[in-house]
Amino acid sequence: MTAVLFDFSGTLFRVESCESWLRAVLDEAELTFEGPELVRTARALEEVGALPGGAPPARLPDEVAGLWEIRDRSAELHRSAYTTLSRQVPLPDPALHDALYERHMTPAAWAPYPDAAEVLRTLYERGVGVGVVSNIGWDLRPVFRAHGLDAYVDAYVLSYEHGVQKPDPRLFALACAALGADPKDVLMVGDSRHADGGAAALGCGVHFVDHLPVTRRPDALLPVIGLLDRTD
């Protein structure tokens, strides 16, 4: 194995809860919701799938369905999809919908899984190339820098920068090329069998983890090191 590709959301990092997300934006706007109202509104935002990296929509409105399928191909499509979903939930100021979208792109909205640093550092120390391949509509590099993980990543291949999204094999091919690695010697690690499983079409190995809260998934990435040991 000469390189490992990782998904971002639900694999290396997890976004904050809807309640934390909403509370941070309300605090910034100097607005206060009573406890039950905050919980109720956060739950409504979660149900409509307004938080990128959070739960998907329980039901897609007809006007968003087509957009949803291609949302990760550009920054504009991504923002439009998620703010359209958010606007299904009434908020005291319409500007809060854009503020919520802006919040989710900040490093403070994301936490690395407990074993992410250890696994990335081990790969780096062993000379294994590391790439991040993500379906996303914004630049996640500042998140890695803020959490001290950027030094272990050799390449970022982000869907919105290429107009291609997983499971399209072209995105994985770009990552392999950026790392100078033969796909047959590359492992893709992700939480989506549909999206991340697309790497198998190139001949990459695939390894899946569950998209769980950070506190409930302390060591799911560690087997990646074991897989590396078996190929040494």
Side-chain angles (χ1 to χ4, degrees):
M1 188 187 304
T2 60
V4 180
L5 307 177
F6 291 92
D7 174 51
F8 168 58
S9 174
T11 299
L12 290 175
F13 282 82
R14 170 78 181 220
V15 75
E16 65 188 331
S17 69
C18 265
E19 191 170 324
S20 171
W21 178 51
L22 176 60
R23 183 183 290 110
V25 168
L26 292 173
D27 287 347
E28 180 69 21
E30 299 183 344
L31 295 171
T32 303
F33 274 10
E34 296 297 330
E37 186 180 10
L38 176 68
V39 172
R40 192 163 49 246
T41 305
R43 185 178 298 122
L45 287 165
E46 183 173 17
E47 288 176 357
V48 300
L51 174 59
R59 184 189 66 81
L60 273 174
D62 291 341
E63 65 270 22
V64 188
L67 178 60
W68 182 257
E69 295 302 318
I70 59 171
R71 66 191 183 281
D72 296 312
R73 293 185 188 175
S74 76
E76 295 76 17
L77 290 170
H78 194 268
R79 178 184 288 270
S80 178
Y82 283 102
T83 55
T84 299
L85 291 173
S86 173
R87 289 190 174 95
Q88 294 180 85
V89 179
L91 295 175
D93 182 348
L96 290 173
H97 296 287
D98 285 315
L100 284 169
Y101 186 83
E102 294 294 329
R103 163 71 187 182
H104 103 274
M105 295 188 288
T106 64
W110 296 87
Y113 282 94
D115 53 349
E118 178 183 350
V119 170
L120 293 177
R121 183 174 59 252
T122 299
L123 294 174
Y124 175 81
E125 290 172 349
R126 295 190 185 187
V128 177
V130 171
V132 173
V133 184
S134 178
N135 280 351
I136 199 165
W138 50 278
D139 186 4
L140 51 73
R141 294 172 182 85
V143 175
F144 280 79
R145 287 196 292 270
H147 290 278
L149 300 182
D150 182 63
Y152 307 131
V153 179
D154 300 294
Y156 296 91
V157 178
L158 312 180
S159 61
Y160 85 102
E161 294 182 335
H162 299 281
V164 178
Q165 61 189 50
K166 298 182 290 187
D168 192 319
R170 288 179 293 172
L171 205 63
F172 304 106
L174 285 167
C176 292
L179 296 171
D182 186 320
K184 297 183 184 64
D185 299 322
V186 174
L187 177 70
M188 174 67 206
V189 182
D191 66 299
S192 171
R193 281 165 172 74
H194 171 67
D196 301 311
L202 283 181
C204 299
V206 292
H207 178 74
F208 298 109
V209 295
D210 293 324
H211 190 151
L212 295 171
V214 166
T215 55
R216 291 175 51 199
R217 215 197 75 191
D219 54 9
L221 292 169
L222 293 180
V224 172
I225 297 175
L227 292 171
L228 179 66
D229 289 337
R230 290 205 292 269
T231 61
D232 285 347

